[in-house]
Amino acid sequence: MAIKKNNSPAKDNDKDMAHYKNIFWKIFFVGLGSLALFFLFASWGIFGSMPSFEDLENPDSNLATEIISADGVVLGKYFEKNRSQLKYSDLPKNLVQALIATEDARFYEHSGIDGRGTLRAISSLGTSGGASTLTQQLAKQLFHGEGSKFLPFRIVQKIKEWIIAIRLERQYTKNEIIAMYCNVYDFGNNSVGVSSAAKTYFSKEPKDLTISESAILVGMFKNSGLYNPVRNPQGVINRRNVVLLQLEKGKIISKEEKERLQALPITLKFKLETHKDGTATYFREYLRDYLKKWAEENKKPDGSDYDIYKDGLKIYTTIDSRMQLHAEKAVTEHMANLQEEFFEQSKTNKNAPFVNISSVETQRILSQAMKSSNRWAVLKSLEKTDEEIIASFSIKTKMRVFSWKGEKDTIMTPLDSIRYYKHFLQSGLMAMEPQTGNIKAWVGGIDYKYFQYDHVGQGARQVGSTFKPFVYATAIEQLNMSPCDSIIDSPFMIRKGRHNVTEDWEPKNSNNRYSGMVTLKRGLANSINIISAKLIDRVGPAAVVDLAHKLGVKSEIPLQPSIALGAVEITVEDMVAAYSTFANQGVYMKPQFISRIEDKGGVIIYEPIPESHDVLNKDIAYAVIKLLEGVTEGGSGDRLRTTGGGNGDKRWTGYPYQFKNPIAGKTGTTQNQSDGWFMGMVPNLVTGVWVGCEDRSARFKSITYGQGATAALPVWGYFMKLCYEDPALKVSKASFERPANLSIKVDCYTAPKVIDTTNIEQNTDEFEL
């Protein structure tokens, strides 16, 4: 009888297969479920915080704040990381093409994760390249940086990158993602984003980059530390050529063009941007201090503080970049020229640059400078004694110093370097539109790197004869005088007790001579001290001080008649604002340097309201203008029109100026030629210039070079020459507007009738011709 077998080998195999299939599907579904849970938990932030919707909408990109001129030029930036934001439309097409061809060829096809590239990377265990898309790289840059090198943590971070990338793709367009990526990448050398990198490495705007330059920047996206064109030019050439090869593969450039571009050398115009770079450095530092106070008073909608170093604000200023460059050039050219004369004269001065001061006073100045120096602060922090620190100032050391021919390396003692820097003449210039109060140019010194003190808004100096128009304006207003009225220029004294003088005050003219009967116009044109003294005696110092304060002068002014000769310390900023009131028909406009502030999204968050008030009526203001025109027609400022030369003419930078248009102005020189001033006005631009050394005892020995007409007027003349050569600035050459029905006599000279003058002798000194 045959035995029947219950289990055949085929059936056993089927059972085994079913068993393994069951196990496989269990593992598959458990794995798939675990992976889904892993992604879910990661998206919930269980493995570390994930960006919220608000974070994705407003990623923290630490944007630099930009200071923008009235004509749209970026003057400079405030930043912790120098990062500027560009729109997609601002990016050069060749850079975008190179970036996609090199980093993510299927960028416009995927939704944040490149499935094909990911499978390829997994199957080859990464040997055939990574699979990070541009969106994933942006996610990494925005929210966690390079990440961990520990494999389990790296896997978690990679999954988080995928999730963030998908969210970014939902939140932004492809072009916005490219723009964001180009804005956040760190290219090294303190430049974050394509905009900063283009300026740092090539001194260009992004839109002006060539294909080769764009390829260099795209090559740096792989590793900006390794492919840095300053440190590794050969490596950068190799990487650039790879990018160009990718452009050829993408059929964006031809093979011939690729070979031509690959043969090109790297040409850099490297300039490391810092807070001190750019134009209008003194103005930008003044603005920085203002913005710190502004941020305390103006909060974000959520109540938090604005950060000028991270929030990507755009500060639109009133400064005109073209006019600013003209002003900086005028200051540089003239101060370098005048400095030569100062050094020449110092050769015969054993106590240079100081003139007529004792050794005790010299030591006081040098000791004060030592204690104010950075060297003193550093050594003090190292717990050195005062004696040790003072001794160190007499030890020779290597140093780099400022000179008008460029920085130079030298060896000298720190004490000698203090005396060396005390030699340098400084300058302050500000130009303003009188009708708006808009400041158009601001030069606070000769070189911000070496001389940080701002001589426009920070430093008040004695103003000399530039104060006299305030006295004349008070007299015209209160005594109903006119520029054509006459006063006797003769010896004069204000006795003790009158106008609070503590002893008899007897002013003298600068030439120690007297002219007899002179008009007010001639008195101001020739800056005759006696005329100013007699006028302040009539109106009283209090009335003049009151007017000066209405004109915007913030300094304390003593109630003494000596102020008529300029014994008053005022900033260049306040002097320009005061003079602008005369040019603006008696209406004071507070100087304005900000037109608006926008946040990084372009929303206006601040617009200042212009401040103004009436000071003088139109007739009086115009009368003062006519007085000041006399200064440039035949007075101390007439070299603006002449070509004849004279003492010191080799230091009149830009001379001859040969202006023929109406100019109202006033020179000023203080005692011992410590300060030289010139205030110059045309109908739509008022400019003030001050020149002098840091210390009042450091000065020219004679008035030839120390007077305002030689020290300061040439800066104004050269500046205006440059402005007039730039027609786009539209600086006026017209006459000042004459009020209708003018009630004050301002035309002091009438041509005589043709008569027999055989026996008539006319004293023309009584007239201002």
Side-chain angles (χ1 to χ4, degrees), residues 524-597:
L524 187 63
N526 294 323
S527 209
I528 299 174
N529 289 340
I530 297 299
I531 305 302
S532 298
K534 287 187 174 183
L535 290 175
I536 201 169
D537 180 48
R538 293 189 190 184
V539 300
V544 177
V545 171
D546 183 55
L547 177 63
H549 285 152
K550 287 179 181 177
L551 291 167
V553 174
K554 295 185 280 289
S555 309
E556 285 191 22
I557 305 175
L559 291 173
Q560 294 289 330
S562 59
I563 64 174
L565 309 187
V568 183
E569 293 189 348
I570 304 175
T571 64
V572 172
E573 182 182 11
D574 283 358
M575 286 298 287
V576 171
Y579 269 67
S580 292
T581 305
F582 302 132
N584 193 34
Q585 300 185 327
V587 179
Y588 168 82
M589 297 295 299
K590 184 178 179 181
Q592 189 103 335
F593 46 87
I594 293 176
S595 57
R596 71 183 186 278
I597 300 177

Side-chain angles (χ1 to χ4, degrees), residues 114-374:
D114 182 1
R116 195 191 313 175
T118 301
L119 290 173
R120 186 198 67 238
I122 293 172
S123 63
S124 65
L125 298 178
T127 58
S128 62
S132 283
T133 63
L134 282 177
T135 318
Q136 287 175 253
Q137 292 179 49
L138 172 61
K140 180 169 66 175
Q141 289 287 332
L142 283 176
F143 299 109
H144 65 73
E146 283 303 312
S148 174
K149 295 187 182 300
F150 183 52
L151 184 59
F153 289 171
R154 186 72 195 101
I155 292 171
V156 171
Q157 287 172 338
K158 187 58 124 176
I159 290 171
K160 289 170 70 176
E161 276 177 30
W162 288 349
I163 296 169
I164 296 169
I166 293 169
R167 290 180 178 180
L168 285 171
E169 290 274 352
R170 290 175 180 173
Q171 194 73 20
Y172 297 100
T173 67
K174 290 286 188 178
N175 289 348
E176 286 173 335
I177 288 170
I178 288 177
M180 289 174 69
Y181 184 56
C182 288
N183 284 330
V184 301
Y185 190 79
D186 190 341
F187 287 88
N189 286 309
N190 210 25
S191 57
V192 178
V194 166
S195 178
S196 296
K199 291 173 185 173
T200 299
Y201 294 110
F202 305 110
S203 297
K204 285 184 175 182
E205 294 295 327
K207 61 183 176 61
D208 298 323
L209 291 171
T210 65
I211 295 177
S212 176
E213 290 164 345
S214 288
I216 289 171
L217 295 185
V218 168
M220 293 177 72
F221 277 107
K222 184 176 179 66
N223 186 328
S224 61
L226 176 61
Y227 298 113
N228 187 301
V230 177
R231 295 194 298 266
N232 183 14
Q234 187 54 53
V236 169
I237 288 175
N238 295 340
R239 180 62 188 164
R240 177 203 64 182
N241 291 349
V242 170
V243 174
L244 294 172
L245 177 62
Q246 293 301 111
L247 283 170
E248 184 207 354
K249 286 182 179 179
K251 298 185 174 12
I252 297 165
I253 61 174
S254 65
K255 181 179 180 181
E256 292 75 17
E257 188 173 10
K258 177 205 72 174
E259 292 174 350
R260 179 184 66 81
L261 292 170
Q262 286 181 336
L264 292 175
I266 289 180
T267 303
L268 300 179
K269 287 187 179 178
F270 179 74
K271 184 180 180 183
L272 190 63
E273 282 195 285
T274 70
H275 294 298
K276 297 178 182 180
D277 288 323
T279 56
T281 44
Y282 289 92
F283 167 73
R284 287 189 284 110
E285 288 306 306
Y286 181 88
L287 178 63
R288 186 208 299 267
D289 288 339
Y290 172 85
L291 290 172
K292 288 177 183 176
K293 297 172 187 173
W294 174 85
E296 292 173 2
E297 299 169 1
N298 297 268
K299 305 292 183 181
K300 292 181 180 179
D302 63 3
S304 61
D305 292 336
Y306 283 104
D307 188 330
I308 65 171
Y309 303 104
K310 294 181 178 180
D311 285 342
L313 303 178
K314 293 190 184 298
I315 316 296
Y316 289 90
T317 71
T318 61
I319 297 292
D320 187 292
S321 69
R322 299 157 298 182
M323 202 173 284
Q324 178 68 30
L325 290 173
H326 296 331
E328 291 180 3
K329 183 175 182 180
V331 168
T332 297
E333 293 292 327
H334 179 61
M335 298 310 295
N337 186 15
L338 195 62
Q339 190 67 51
E340 284 187 28
E341 185 66 35
F342 194 86
F343 275 128
E344 190 66 31
Q345 293 189 20
S346 295
K347 290 178 181 178
T348 58
N349 178 8
K350 292 182 180 179
N351 195 30
F354 311 112
V355 178
N356 294 336
I357 63 170
S358 66
S359 57
V360 173
E361 179 62 15
T362 301
Q363 188 56 46
R364 185 195 67 79
I365 292 171
L366 296 177
S367 295
Q368 186 177 14
M370 279 193 288
K371 291 178 180 178
S372 301
S373 68
N374 183 61

Side-chain angles (χ1 to χ4, degrees), residues 83 90 228 353 401 508 545:
R83 175 180 289 159
D90 298 325
N228 187 301
V401 297
K508 303 288 184 182
V545 171

Side-chain angles (χ1 to χ4, degrees), residues 602-763:
V603 177
I604 296 175
I605 57 176
Y606 175 70
E607 275 187 295
I609 300 172
E611 295 180 32
S612 66
H613 58 259
D614 293 340
V615 179
L616 300 166
N617 70 44
K618 294 181 180 180
D619 290 6
I620 295 172
Y622 185 72
V624 176
I625 289 291
K626 297 307 287 184
L627 282 170
L628 292 168
E629 285 184 350
V631 174
T632 67
E633 290 167 358
S636 57
D638 67 350
R639 65 183 55 167
L640 289 170
R641 306 187 184 283
T642 62
T643 58
N647 289 334
D649 62 352
K650 65 180 178 180
R651 300 302 181 195
W652 301 346
T653 310
Y655 185 82
Y657 313 105
Q658 297 179 292
F659 296 124
K660 295 179 172 59
N661 55 293
I663 296 170
K666 187 70 191 81
T667 57
T669 309
T670 62
Q671 190 175 21
N672 296 325
Q673 304 83 236
S674 294
D675 306 272
W677 286 80
F678 186 74
M679 304 297 301
M681 298 189 283
V682 295
N684 66 348
L685 192 67
V686 176
T687 305
V689 181
W690 166 86
V691 171
C693 285
E694 179 184 295
D695 291 276
R696 291 182 56 81
S697 52
R699 55 182 176 80
F700 281 106
K701 295 178 182 178
S702 71
I703 200 168
T704 299
Y705 295 99
Q707 64 178 305
T710 307
L713 178 145
V715 175
W716 187 91
Y718 193 35
F719 168 61
M720 291 299 290
K721 233 177 150 177
L722 295 172
C723 287
Y724 282 137
E725 290 170 1
D726 193 343
L729 295 177
K730 297 180 181 178
V731 177
S732 176
K733 289 187 177 182
S735 300
F736 289 87
E737 184 179 350
R738 185 184 182 102
N741 304 315
L742 181 64
S743 62
I744 300 174
K745 184 180 180 182
V746 296
D747 302 312
C748 305
Y749 174 74
T750 303
K753 296 178 181 179
V754 180
I755 58 175
D756 185 2
T757 58
T758 306
N759 298 313
I760 298 177
E761 189 173 294
Q762 185 179 17
N763 181 6

